[in-house]
Structures are given as structure tokens and as C-alpha cells.
Amino acid sequence: MPAQMQQILDAINTDLRDDPDRGEVASYIPELGQVDPHQFAITVATADGQIYSAGDATTRFSAQSITKVFTLAIALGRSGDQLWRRVGREPSGTAFNSIVQLEHERGRPRNPFVNAGAIVTTDEVLAGREPREALAEFLSFIRAAAEDDDIHINADVARSETAHGHRNFAHAHFLASFGNLKNDPDKVLGTYFHHCATELTTTQLARAGRFLIGADCHPRMVSLDRVRRLNALMLTCGHYDGSGEFAYRVGLPAKSGVGGGILGVVPGKASIAVWSPGLDRNGNSKLGTEAMERLAREMDWSVF
Amino acid sequence: MPAQMQQILDAINTDLRDDPDRGEVASYIPELGQVDPHQFAITVATADGQIYSAGDATTRFSAQSITKVFTLAIALGRSGDQLWRRVGREPSGTAFNSIVQLEHERGRPRNPFVNAGAIVTTDEVLAGREPREALAEFLSFIRAAAEDDDIHINADVARSETAHGHRNFAHAHFLASFGNLKNDPDKVLGTYFHHCATELTTTQLARAGRFLIGADCHPRMVSLDRVRRLNALMLTCGHYDGSGEFAYRVGLPAKSGVGGGILGVVPGKASIAVWSPGLDRNGNSKLGTEAMERLAREMDWSVF
Amino acid sequence: MPAQMQQILDAINTDLRDDPDRGEVASYIPELGQVDPHQFAITVATADGQIYSAGDATTRFSAQSITKVFTLAIALGRSGDQLWRRVGREPSGTAFNSIVQLEHERGRPRNPFVNAGAIVTTDEVLAGREPREALAEFLSFIRAAAEDDDIHINADVARSETAHGHRNFAHAHFLASFGNLKNDPDKVLGTYFHHCATELTTTQLARAGRFLIGADCHPRMVSLDRVRRLNALMLTCGHYDGSGEFAYRVGLPAKSGVGGGILGVVPGKASIAVWSPGLDRNGNSKLGTEAMERLAREMDWSVF
Amino acid sequence: MPAQMQQILDAINTDLRDDPDRGEVASYIPELGQVDPHQFAITVATADGQIYSAGDATTRFSAQSITKVFTLAIALGRSGDQLWRRVGREPSGTAFNSIVQLEHERGRPRNPFVNAGAIVTTDEVLAGREPREALAEFLSFIRAAAEDDDIHINADVARSETAHGHRNFAHAHFLASFGNLKNDPDKVLGTYFHHCATELTTTQLARAGRFLIGADCHPRMVSLDRVRRLNALMLTCGHYDGSGEFAYRVGLPAKSGVGGGILGVVPGKASIAVWSPGLDRNGNSKLGTEAMERLAREMDWSVF
């Protein structure tokens, strides 16, 4: 398999890196808007400890919403099923930044991966502490998962998100108006914008995602039961209003970020990280999705 | 495994058939409202051809929305990906009978399992024919899948659904107003109410569901690619606005019906049918879901 | 005043009948789509019994939603305030044919002038009778109000509306699904499509509208209290989602129809009918609104 | 008339001040929650310069949303019809603090009287200045209108509103996310919370409202054309989602505040201020509405 895997990744990289139809790079903050759209990287970390990469797998990119998986794991570790009193587990049927559902369901976000839900999760992780303490716990977790301490937060990106984050401020205050925020909105968003500004390579991300493979995979960060539940949430809600489409085409639990990265999981077998900055109309990496679809088909990895 | 499987099913049946908290039986038509809520049945059909049952596995119940999986398979067989021009593949974020999304998205239902989507699928199967011809094709398909010709439609139930089906008539006319209905609304709904009125036992349903197991499973009704896509849709949309919850708790593709049945699939391994008439607040079988959750856990069958 | 009034109407007619920017004629049924958009008519019926007209004031046009005012008056005469259990009195904030509000407010239309509300009003007028009996009462009322028996329903238009009326069928069945329809949906819609298909001239319409002038105006069809309430509803809800705009620009209670007519009321002083087939984006007569605005300003007739 | 007017007001005061069914006092901030619900006041200022009062007409109450009429008049004076690019003129069909419409219409509030619309109006008045400058202009305007310099802002109330104003912060940031806020959200809300915290008596409010009577009424603050338009907006949108009901029952342009006050206008004749702290379910003064309804009927003042 190793030879075959490397060949598949190389072929995907060769075919996709010159694809002219790459989607649109996120431009709501300059730090993301200036990223070269022609980059592409893919890494697979297998359950037996192997790492396979192709493309720009040593270039760091902004993880953005992919970090929501890690903060969710931490929040569940801290609060257990209490968290579900504050946030639901259903696909939203609306855009990641829609506030309509939040009003209809009186301040309880549909799931932990839409922005409002991730703000609640971050609030749960913050838990009365200072943002830097919560961020230290977050970095600790993701570094331990990747077994790599060279993972950092880009403070410029976090600052820029704050300056352009009116929609997220609206969500945080709206949550607060329903009593569903325990900490000060500014502190919660400070923490949120910072963990989203984590930068890593596909190699680091694929390694960090191994804790979701389950089975006897190393390192064990959370229980197998919780791994399955995190994967279920990633499959049903991980791509916002494109989650059904991703499940249909790829058939794997995965979480996308507006920086163009996607973290995918093959239960029992592998963790996958892809990165291509251009996004489709739902805000998910266009070529990243195609790479995942092709890899899953060639490896026969669909969970279905 | 055979001995173990039978033991598990027997234990589930023993524990659940006396559970006092059984949910509410659907009462919008008398034929469903009069069903004895104390019944319970479970059947597993494995990829290697074995059948295991416990409880009232020879009692027929109304399949209702579970038939949407079969009409979807037929519609895709007739029209292929053209179908997706008329209906989406995303979870709805709303109740099975909500019309709000349909107005917001200008007459294109979110997925083939909400009522409006299933009406479109039925319209595609009807394809200019008379309802009895489309229903003959439907019965043919489900009987061939189950390898059992003793599966029938209860005309009384269909008639009663028609008499109480104002909400579905509203959906059909609404679809027609957007040009998303090719046949006369009355004919489409006549066909729709009839296929939903199919009655079968859990044994028959589990056998009919084998075509979704994939792998080399017998009988092969649709391609493996299509099987995977049907399963993806069942997992993300099969339980209406409780789909995320079902994925989180059970971790298997499944489709529920208001008659209290659930058809679940363990890709590559088994097809499962459970039946208990009482429903939870999302309209899915309460004890049926619990049985599925327990079976999946004990057999380690979650796809995640 | 008589001389002045005729001069004002003549000037409005002269200026508007050659206006090139006339809006779009409704085209959802051929009978409306074929109407010559270059026609224009205006008639004022004063409290003291005078009639002033300009333009095509002897040409008949399709009253459409303007008849909702008359069926509402009849329904209130039959049922009094009981009607308000079934329909609200608030502006909708949505299009005349939106079904979203109806789901959110569980089958109670926002007001009697959106389509769903007018269907409920028609259902109240029908009251278990045959459609022709209800229509006879309706014609009786409008003819008595106009003191003119030469007002008729165009059966071809009614038939065409029925054939293209899927959206209204959706509304009727949706109302029925919430138990807010007493008669069979087909009968209610048959009655609804027929009264909407009433044809009259601006002269006839202005005369028919005199019962809304109030004061000691002849003929007295309903009490002064009810007149005021009908006018309040026309002002807040008479132009669908353009009601606020009409109140802002014109400042008079009025009801528009998709045939291009508008019936306006100057409390205590006059009834106004204008007709120009081209519609603005909210479905209200474009030049009709401009004529009303100009007339109200020149006569100093705004209620504000 | 003078004697009659005083008798009517006295009778209303006598009847309503002991009414046991007074609605609920707003309690979202302690300053409002502590107001004695048994107070009642009514004042009429006529076009000919007379003032008639009954009840607690020298007790100050929090004007709250009633100030939106004054800031709207100022904003229109500064920017004219440019303002309407940023805010609509239609009733909302939703609660005063709903954010759903704002997402559906991409950041353009429905009218200047829902919270989001009043925030935009305040932003237009602020116009790059410091809040205290804008507030000075606002106080100048309302004092000139009332010809009374003893009208002030309660800074404690403004502070308390800020501390409990998450929903309004959500609206402001949401507007900013669509580019529909020119000034910093904190500054706009600081200004907004302060002008809402204006305290005055019914005597002062009725006098301040005289500029909306129109005709040759003293003092003339804005043109007659604008007066009519302000009145049209008050009639269609002045009572949030109870505006249709108020128009139906009372038939006068009016604006309510959560402090229990209502400012009403009888075009050409009078300005009315009522105050009773208890609110109905739409957030409008319960007894204040009843007082308005009775006064309008006895004086035959409905505009309809």
C-alpha cells in the first residue's frame, strides 16, 4: 500500500495543481486575500503511523474553522454532555454565518460548527479564564495531537479578523442576549479569532487529526465513543450548507476552513489533510473537495 | 456470530417491549392511530444471507416514508443525475412537512426525503404514466429486493392519507407553481400516498434493504456507487430534523417512517429493520431508535 | 370645485397616458397578459354625489384583488368580529402570495388582503353554500354599492385563474391542513377566482367604493365604525408589501389589484378609482399610484 | 370644546387609573422595572395652542422609542431622501428586535422605528461627530418643539441600557457587517441609548409632538410634506407588530415606547401624549392604547 498511496497522492497533486478552475480565495481580510491560489497540498497519516504527502505540504496555511473540531473536543473534555444544553447537533440548512436560525431557536446554535455554535464552544473552553490561558490549552492539545510543538497562532490574522468581524460580534451579542454566553463577548471572540488563526501545514494537520481515527490509533486524546460522535458531527455538519453534498460525493467525516484546508477522517484507517485556497460558493475548498473525492474513491475509503 | 446476534436481538426485544416510555403513535389518520403501541420487532439481514429476528417480526406495519428510499432508487435508475436539477442533497434544518424552505429556494426541495422532495421523486417515477403503472414498477422493485412477492399496498390507508393530506396537496401545488411538477398534482399524490401505504414485516423490510449493503451482496439492484450515495443521503437526511441526532447516537445510514419503522444499513455487513409504533417529537420511532443505537454499539457497527 | 376637479383629472390623464415608463402588465394568465398597457382611466365619486372622470373610464378591466374589500365587508356583515379569530389585522412584511408567514403563524393569515387571508374571507362568505349563491351575494353587494347592475364576472378569466392557480391551491390546502378552512378547497377557490374575475370600469368602481367614504354618504352599506376599520386595513395592508410606501407617498386608504386598478378612499370626501395595467415590482399599478399621489397632493386629500 | 375636552380626559383618567388589567411593566433594566404600574397620565395639545391634561401629567417617564420620531425628523433634515437608501418604509411583520428580516434584506432595516432602523437613523444623525454633539442637537430639537428647556436625558438609564443591550449591539454589528453603519457601533449605540433615555412628562411630550400636527401649527419644525410622511410612517410602523391593530382600533398616527408612553397625532388638530407603564404582548402601553382609542372615538378624531 505505501507505494500505491504515494502514487495516488502524486497523481492527484499533478492533476489538480494546474487545474484552472480553482474557486475564489476568501478576501474578507487581507491576510487571506493575498494567499497565492495556485498552491495545493495533501497529506495522509495512516493508523499504522505512516505519513504520505504531495504538493506544498510544508507550507503553512490558516486553519480557520478546522480548529472548531479541536475546541469542540476540548469543550467536551471539560464539560461533557452538558455542552449540548447550549448547542445542538443538527445540520443547519443555512449558511455558516446566518443568524436567522439563532433567533428562531432562541439563542441555541444548531451545531458546534456554524459560527455561533463555535462561539459557544469557545465560551465553554474559556470558562472564566483569561483568553491566553484558554489558548494555551488549545495549543497544547493540537500540538500533542500532532506530536509537533511548532504549531502557532498568527496574531496578525487574529487582529485582522477582529477588525472585520462584525458578523461574529453580532452573533456573540445575540447569544449573550439569550443568556447563552458565560464570558464577556469581547473575550470570547478574542479567543475565537485567535484559535481560528492557527497556522499549520497539511503534514501537521493530518498528524493532528489522527486522534479522530479511533481504533488503537496513537495518540489517544479522547475516548473511542467520543471520536465516533465527533466524526458523526463532522459528517453531518462539517461543511456548513454543503455537508450533504460532501457526504454524497466523498463519504467521509471532514471539517473545512475558509483558509482552504480540509481535515478528513477515515475511521479506523487514516487522517487526511488537503489544502487549496480557492473556495466554492459554500465556502469550502474547491480543489480540496475534489482531491478528497478522488482519494476516497481510489482507496475505497467511503464509510458508506 | 449467529448465536451472538440472535442473543443480542432477543435481549433488545426483551428489554424494549415492556419499556413504558414508548412515544406517541401517529394519529393524523385513523388507520395509524389505531395501531397497538406495545408492539416491537427487529430483523437483521446479513451480507452473507442470514436472517435474524426478534419480536413481532411477522406483523405487517405501514412503511410510510421508508418507501422514499425505494422510489429514490427507481427515480435515479430512470433519470440519473438529472433528478438533482429538481431536488437538492442537503439536510433541511426544518420539519419534514415544512413549506418555508420551498419558498426560500424557489420550489426546489432540499432533499428527496422531506415530503416535498419525495413528491418530486414520485413525479419523476410517474413520468407521464398512469399511477398504477408507476406503482407496479415500485412494487416490482421492492418485491425483487426482498425476494418476496407478498408485499402489498393498503388501499384504505392510501385513501385515508388522501382525505387527510391537505399539507401534501399544498406542497404539490406549491411545487407546481414553480414549474417543478411534470404530472398533475392529484396523480402524483395518488401515487405518493399509495407507495407510502405499503405494508410489510421487519423481516420483509430487512430483506428489501439488502440492496443497500453494497459489497457483493445479493440481490444487486443498483450500482455500488449509487448504493454509497443513497446511504450518504440516508445518513444526512433520513431522519428529518433528527438526522444529526441519529448519526450522533447510532452512526448508521437509516430511513424512518411515521408508521414507526426504521430501515438501517451497515455498509458491507447488514441491513436492519426495526419497528415500534410510538414516535419521538421529530416523528421518528422512539424505541426503534434506541434499538438501533444498542445494536450498533454491541455489534460495533457505527460507520464512524 | 367641480371645474377644478375635472381640470386636475384631465391634466393627470394627459400627462400619464403617454408616460413611457408604465411597468409590466401581469402575464401569468393570457387574459391579463393581452391587455393593452397604454390605457389609463381615473374617476372620482364625491360624497355629494358628483362623478368626475378622465381617460378610458368606460373600458372594463379585471378588478382582481380589489374585490377583497367587498368580500371582507360581506364577511364582516355575516360573521362580525368572529372573523378575526381566523385572520389577523397586521401588515405582512412579505409578498401577497408568500406562504412562509402562514407556516410560522400556524395557518392564520396576517390580514384579509394577502391571498391566504382573502381565501379565508371567501370561505367565510361561502358558509356552506354553493359557490353560485355566494357569488350572487357578492354581485348583489357590489352592484348595490355602485347602484349599477351592469357589473359582471368574466368566466373565462376565472377559468384561466383556476388553471394557473397552483399557488392559491397551495394556500387553500395549507389553510385546510391547519383546520382554517370550513369548505372544500376547490369550492372556496372556485368562488375566490370568480369574484376576483369581476370586470368593471373606473366609473363603476369609484361608485362602488362610495360606501367607504363614511359620513352621511349614499349608499350606506355598512356602519361608520366598520367603514373606518375597513379603511384602516386598506391603508396598512392594501398594497401588500408596498403598503408603507403607498401610505408615505399618497396618504390614503386604498386597495390595488393585479389587473392594474386601485380603489382609494378620501374619508368623508370621495372615492377614487384609477386604472393602468402596468405594475411595479410589488404588483401594484405603477401609473395608478402616480395618479393617486398627484391627485391627493393637488386636492390636499392626504389623511395625514 | 375646551370644557368638553377636559371632561373627556378626566373621565378617561378616572376610569383607567383603577383598571386592574394593566399589562406588564418592562423589566429588562431595573430603572424601568421599578416604575409604579399604577400611574396614568394623558395630555392633549391642540392646534390652537391649548393644553389639557389629566392624571400624573407632571411625572416624568422614560420616552424610549418615542424619541425615534425626533431622531428621524432630524436625520431627514440632515440627509433628506438619501436616508431611504439605508432604511425602508414598510411595516416589518416581525417584533421590534427581530434580526431575521435584516439578514433576509441584507442589512437594510424595514423602517426607522424597528430597533435596527432607529440605529441607522441615529448613525445618520451622528454623522462623524461625537455622541455628545449629536445628543445636543437632539435635545435642542425636542426642547424647541416643546418650547421647554427642562427636558433631560437620564444617564443612569442609558448606562443600564448599555449594560443590558446585547440585542442592540447584535443589530449594530450586523448592520456594520453589511456596510450599513458609518460610525463605530459603540458610538452609535451610546448615542442611541442616550436619546432613548430622555425623560419627560405627558405635558412636555404632547407639546413636543405639536410639530407633527401640520397645518399652520406652532412651532413649525419641518415642512408640511415631511410632517405627512412622518405621520404615515407612524401609522403604518409606529407600534411594531401591533401597528395594524392600533390603526384598526384607534385610527391615528402614533409612536409607542417601552416606558409606557405613546405620542399620537390628530392631523390638523392636536397632539396627544398618554402614559401608563404596563405593556401588552407587543410591547405597547396597554392602558395607553385604550385611552387613545376612547379619546379618538369620543372626539371623532380617527383619520379614517
Side-chain angles (χ1 to χ4, degrees):
Chain A
M1 183 168 100
Q4 184 203 357
M5 175 79 79
Q6 189 61 50
Q7 282 174 349
I8 292 172
L9 300 188
D10 287 340
I12 291 173
N13 178 45
T14 302
D15 292 354
L16 293 187
R17 69 183 309 115
D18 296 325
D19 192 321
D21 190 5
R22 310 182 77 83
E24 294 290 322
V25 175
S27 57
Y28 67 98
I29 58 168
E31 286 79 0
L32 292 180
Q34 289 157 8
V35 172
D36 174 5
H38 294 93
Q39 300 174 94
F40 177 85
I42 185 163
T43 297
V44 172
T46 60
D48 61 4
Q50 302 301 309
I51 305 290
Y52 306 87
S53 288
D56 307 307
T58 58
T59 304
R60 290 166 196 267
F61 60 94
S62 197
Q64 295 294 328
S65 293
I66 300 173
T67 59
K68 294 174 180 173
V69 177
F70 298 88
T71 49
L72 174 59
I74 297 168
L76 285 171
R78 295 183 70 93
S79 315
D81 285 345
Q82 301 282 347
L83 177 67
W84 304 121
R85 297 187 181 181
R86 303 181 60 194
V87 59
R89 295 191 289 245
E90 292 299 329
S92 68
T94 49
F96 65 96
N97 64 356
S98 172
I99 208 163
V100 167
Q101 174 272 328
L102 212 50
E103 178 167 323
H104 287 158
E105 301 186 22
R106 302 193 59 71
R108 186 167 178 262
R110 283 233 122 198
N111 65 63
F113 295 149
V114 292
N115 285 11
I119 291 169
V120 165
T121 303
T122 302
D123 182 56
E124 195 75 21
V125 173
L126 194 52
R129 297 180 293 176
E130 284 305 303
R132 64 180 163 70
E133 295 175 83
L135 290 167
E137 183 180 6
F138 162 77
L139 279 176
S140 249
F141 185 99
I142 198 168
R143 286 168 178 168
E147 294 177 301
D148 183 340
D149 284 354
D150 191 21
I151 295 176
H152 309 280
I153 289 167
N154 183 326
D156 288 341
V157 169
R159 226 177 342 258
S160 204
E161 295 276 359
T162 308
H164 295 81
H166 283 302
R167 191 90 170 218
N168 282 314
F169 277 97
H171 277 90
H173 283 288
F174 206 72
L175 290 165
S177 77
F178 283 106
N180 199 7
L181 215 61
K182 298 175 178 173
N183 301 276
D184 176 74
D186 289 352
K187 280 195 182 176
V188 177
L189 287 178
T191 311
Y192 174 78
F193 288 135
H194 274 81
H195 71 66
C196 285
T198 302
E199 289 184 341
L200 32 55
T201 66
T202 54
T203 307
Q204 292 175 317
L205 181 57
R207 290 173 60 93
R210 291 172 305 168
F211 84 96
L212 294 164
I213 299 178
D216 308 313
C217 196
H218 174 81
R220 165 73 70 228
M221 310 286 292
V222 303
S223 74
L224 180 54
D225 246 27
R226 187 155 291 157
V227 160
R228 285 181 168 155
R229 289 169 168 184
L230 289 168
N231 285 336
L233 286 163
M234 288 169 79
L235 193 129
T236 54
C237 315
H239 277 67
Y240 312 120
D241 207 20
S243 299
E245 187 69 14
F246 192 89
Y248 184 88
R249 286 174 55 188
V250 181
L252 293 176
K255 181 75 204 79
S256 66
V258 78
I262 304 176
L263 171 63
V265 180
V266 193
K269 296 184 183 149
S271 157
I272 310 166
V274 292
W275 171 53
S276 171
L279 308 178
D280 64 21
R281 66 186 177 80
N282 281 314
N284 302 310
S285 174
K286 188 171 184 307
L287 294 188
T289 303
E290 289 179 29
M292 283 279 189
E293 183 176 13
R294 188 161 154 189
L295 178 60
R297 175 169 301 139
E298 301 201 11
M299 294 303 296
D300 204 23
W301 269 352
S302 163
V303 300
F304 303 117
Chain B
M1 184 168 99
Q4 183 203 356
M5 175 80 79
Q6 188 60 52
Q7 282 176 347
I8 292 173
L9 298 189
D10 286 340
I12 290 173
N13 178 45
T14 302
D15 292 354
L16 293 187
R17 69 182 308 116
D18 296 325
D19 192 323
D21 191 6
R22 311 182 77 81
E24 294 291 322
V25 174
S27 58
Y28 67 98
I29 58 169
E31 286 79 1
L32 292 180
Q34 289 156 8
V35 172
D36 175 4
H38 296 93
Q39 300 175 92
F40 178 85
I42 186 163
T43 297
V44 172
T46 58
D48 59 6
Q50 302 302 309
I51 305 289
Y52 306 87
S53 288
D56 307 307
T58 58
T59 305
R60 291 167 195 267
F61 60 94
S62 197
Q64 295 294 327
S65 292
I66 300 173
T67 59
K68 294 174 182 175
V69 177
F70 297 89
T71 48
L72 174 58
I74 297 169
L76 285 171
R78 295 182 70 92
S79 315
D81 286 344
Q82 301 283 346
L83 177 67
W84 305 119
R85 297 186 180 180
R86 303 181 59 193
V87 58
R89 297 192 287 247
E90 291 300 328
S92 68
T94 49
F96 65 96
N97 64 357
S98 171
I99 208 164
V100 167
Q101 174 271 328
L102 212 50
E103 178 167 322
H104 287 159
E105 301 188 20
R106 304 193 57 72
R108 187 169 177 260
R110 283 234 122 199
N111 66 63
F113 295 149
V114 292
N115 285 12
I119 291 169
V120 166
T121 303
T122 302
D123 182 56
E124 194 76 19
V125 172
L126 193 52
R129 296 182 292 177
E130 283 306 303
R132 63 179 165 71
E133 297 176 82
L135 290 167
E137 182 179 6
F138 163 76
L139 279 175
S140 244
F141 186 99
I142 198 168
R143 287 169 177 169
E147 293 177 301
D148 183 341
D149 283 353
D150 191 20
I151 296 175
H152 308 279
I153 289 166
N154 184 326
D156 288 342
V157 170
R159 223 174 348 256
S160 204
E161 295 275 359
T162 308
H164 295 79
H166 283 303
R167 191 88 169 222
N168 283 315
F169 277 98
H171 277 89
H173 282 288
F174 206 70
L175 290 164
S177 77
F178 283 107
N180 198 7
L181 215 61
K182 297 174 179 174
N183 301 278
D184 177 73
D186 289 352
K187 281 196 181 176
V188 178
L189 287 177
T191 311
Y192 175 78
F193 288 135
H194 274 80
H195 72 67
C196 285
T198 302
E199 289 184 340
L200 31 55
T201 66
T202 53
T203 307
Q204 292 175 316
L205 181 57
R207 290 174 60 91
R210 292 172 304 168
F211 83 96
L212 294 163
I213 299 177
D216 307 312
C217 196
H218 172 82
R220 166 71 70 223
M221 310 285 291
V222 304
S223 73
L224 180 54
D225 245 28
R226 188 156 288 159
V227 161
R228 284 181 167 153
R229 289 169 169 183
L230 288 168
N231 284 336
L233 285 162
M234 288 170 80
L235 192 130
T236 54
C237 314
H239 278 65
Y240 311 121
D241 207 21
S243 298
E245 188 69 13
F246 192 90
Y248 184 88
R249 287 175 55 190
V250 180
L252 292 178
K255 181 74 206 79
S256 66
V258 79
I262 304 177
L263 171 63
V265 179
V266 193
K269 295 181 184 151
S271 158
I272 310 165
V274 292
W275 171 53
S276 172
L279 308 178
D280 64 21
R281 66 183 178 81
N282 282 316
N284 302 310
S285 175
K286 189 171 182 307
L287 295 187
T289 303
E290 288 178 31
M292 282 279 189
E293 183 176 12
R294 188 160 154 190
L295 178 61
R297 175 170 300 138
E298 301 202 11
M299 295 301 296
D300 204 25
W301 269 352
S302 162
V303 300
F304 303 118
Chain C
M1 182 168 98
Q4 182 202 358
M5 175 80 78
Q6 189 60 51
Q7 280 175 350
I8 291 173
L9 298 190
D10 286 341
I12 290 174
N13 177 46
T14 302
D15 291 355
L16 293 188
R17 69 182 310 114
D18 296 325
D19 192 319
D21 191 6
R22 309 181 79 82
E24 293 291 322
V25 174
S27 58
Y28 68 97
I29 58 167
E31 286 79 0
L32 293 179
Q34 289 157 6
V35 172
D36 174 4
H38 295 94
Q39 300 174 93
F40 177 86
I42 185 164
T43 297
V44 172
T46 59
D48 59 6
Q50 302 302 309
I51 305 290
Y52 306 86
S53 289
D56 307 306
T58 57
T59 304
R60 289 166 196 267
F61 60 93
S62 196
Q64 295 293 329
S65 293
I66 299 173
T67 59
K68 295 174 181 174
V69 177
F70 297 88
T71 48
L72 174 59
I74 297 168
L76 285 170
R78 295 183 70 91
S79 315
D81 285 345
Q82 301 283 347
L83 177 68
W84 305 119
R85 297 187 182 182
R86 304 180 60 192
V87 58
R89 296 192 288 247
E90 291 299 330
S92 68
T94 48
F96 66 97
N97 63 355
S98 173
I99 208 163
V100 168
Q101 175 271 330
L102 211 50
E103 178 168 323
H104 287 158
E105 301 187 21
R106 302 193 58 72
R108 185 167 178 262
R110 283 233 123 198
N111 65 63
F113 295 149
V114 291
N115 285 11
I119 291 169
V120 166
T121 303
T122 301
D123 182 56
E124 195 76 19
V125 172
L126 193 53
R129 298 182 291 177
E130 284 305 303
R132 65 180 163 70
E133 296 175 83
L135 290 168
E137 182 179 6
F138 163 77
L139 278 176
S140 243
F141 186 100
I142 198 168
R143 286 170 178 167
E147 294 176 301
D148 182 341
D149 284 353
D150 190 20
I151 295 176
H152 308 280
I153 289 167
N154 183 326
D156 287 341
V157 169
R159 223 174 346 255
S160 203
E161 294 276 0
T162 308
H164 295 79
H166 282 302
R167 191 91 171 216
N168 283 315
F169 277 97
H171 277 90
H173 282 288
F174 206 72
L175 290 164
S177 77
F178 282 107
N180 198 6
L181 215 59
K182 299 175 180 174
N183 301 277
D184 177 74
D186 289 351
K187 280 195 181 175
V188 178
L189 287 178
T191 311
Y192 175 78
F193 288 135
H194 273 81
H195 72 65
C196 285
T198 301
E199 290 184 339
L200 32 55
T201 66
T202 54
T203 306
Q204 291 175 317
L205 181 57
R207 289 174 60 93
R210 291 172 304 168
F211 84 97
L212 294 163
I213 299 177
D216 308 313
C217 195
H218 173 81
R220 166 70 71 224
M221 310 286 292
V222 303
S223 74
L224 180 54
D225 247 25
R226 187 156 290 159
V227 161
R228 283 180 168 156
R229 289 168 167 185
L230 287 168
N231 285 336
L233 285 163
M234 288 169 79
L235 192 128
T236 55
C237 314
H239 277 65
Y240 311 120
D241 207 20
S243 298
E245 188 69 14
F246 192 89
Y248 184 88
R249 285 174 56 188
V250 180
L252 293 176
K255 181 74 204 82
S256 66
V258 78
I262 303 176
L263 171 63
V265 179
V266 191
K269 295 183 183 150
S271 158
I272 311 166
V274 292
W275 172 53
S276 170
L279 309 177
D280 64 21
R281 67 186 177 81
N282 282 315
N284 302 310
S285 175
K286 189 172 183 304
L287 294 187
T289 303
E290 289 179 29
M292 282 280 189
E293 184 177 12
R294 187 160 155 190
L295 178 61
R297 174 169 301 138
E298 301 200 11
M299 294 304 294
D300 205 24
W301 269 351
S302 163
V303 301
F304 303 115
Chain D
M1 183 167 98
Q4 181 203 358
M5 174 79 79
Q6 189 61 51
Q7 282 175 347
I8 292 173
L9 298 189
D10 286 340
I12 289 173
N13 178 45
T14 302
D15 293 352
L16 293 188
R17 69 182 309 113
D18 296 324
D19 192 321
D21 190 6
R22 309 182 78 82
E24 294 291 321
V25 175
S27 58
Y28 67 99
I29 59 168
E31 287 79 1
L32 293 179
Q34 289 157 6
V35 172
D36 175 4
H38 296 93
Q39 301 174 92
F40 178 86
I42 185 165
T43 298
V44 171
T46 59
D48 60 5
Q50 302 302 307
I51 305 290
Y52 306 87
S53 288
D56 307 306
T58 57
T59 305
R60 290 168 196 266
F61 61 94
S62 197
Q64 294 294 326
S65 293
I66 299 173
T67 58
K68 294 174 181 175
V69 177
F70 298 89
T71 48
L72 174 59
I74 297 168
L76 285 172
R78 295 182 70 90
S79 315
D81 285 343
Q82 301 283 345
L83 177 68
W84 304 120
R85 297 186 181 183
R86 304 181 60 192
V87 59
R89 297 192 285 247
E90 291 299 328
S92 69
T94 50
F96 65 97
N97 64 356
S98 172
I99 207 163
V100 168
Q101 174 272 328
L102 212 49
E103 179 168 323
H104 287 160
E105 302 188 21
R106 304 192 58 71
R108 186 169 179 260
R110 282 233 124 198
N111 66 62
F113 295 149
V114 291
N115 285 12
I119 291 169
V120 165
T121 303
T122 302
D123 182 57
E124 194 77 19
V125 172
L126 194 52
R129 297 182 292 176
E130 284 305 303
R132 65 180 163 71
E133 297 175 83
L135 290 167
E137 182 179 5
F138 162 77
L139 278 176
S140 246
F141 186 100
I142 199 168
R143 286 169 178 169
E147 293 177 301
D148 183 341
D149 284 353
D150 191 21
I151 295 175
H152 308 279
I153 289 166
N154 183 327
D156 288 340
V157 170
R159 224 175 345 256
S160 205
E161 295 274 1
T162 307
H164 295 80
H166 282 302
R167 191 89 170 219
N168 283 315
F169 277 98
H171 277 90
H173 282 287
F174 206 71
L175 289 165
S177 78
F178 283 107
N180 198 7
L181 216 61
K182 297 175 178 173
N183 301 277
D184 177 74
D186 288 352
K187 281 195 181 176
V188 177
L189 287 178
T191 311
Y192 174 79
F193 289 134
H194 274 80
H195 72 66
C196 285
T198 301
E199 290 183 341
L200 31 56
T201 66
T202 53
T203 307
Q204 291 175 317
L205 180 57
R207 288 174 61 90
R210 292 172 303 168
F211 84 96
L212 293 164
I213 299 177
D216 306 314
C217 195
H218 174 80
R220 166 73 69 226
M221 310 286 291
V222 303
S223 73
L224 180 55
D225 246 26
R226 186 156 290 159
V227 161
R228 283 181 168 154
R229 290 170 167 184
L230 288 167
N231 285 336
L233 285 162
M234 289 170 79
L235 192 130
T236 54
C237 314
H239 278 65
Y240 311 120
D241 207 21
S243 298
E245 188 69 13
F246 193 91
Y248 184 88
R249 286 174 55 188
V250 181
L252 293 176
K255 182 74 205 79
S256 66
V258 78
I262 303 177
L263 171 63
V265 179
V266 193
K269 296 184 183 148
S271 158
I272 310 166
V274 292
W275 172 54
S276 172
L279 308 179
D280 64 21
R281 66 184 177 83
N282 282 316
N284 302 311
S285 175
K286 189 171 182 309
L287 295 188
T289 303
E290 289 178 29
M292 282 280 188
E293 183 177 11
R294 185 159 157 190
L295 178 61
R297 174 169 301 140
E298 302 201 11
M299 293 302 296
D300 203 25
W301 269 352
S302 162
V303 300
F304 304 117

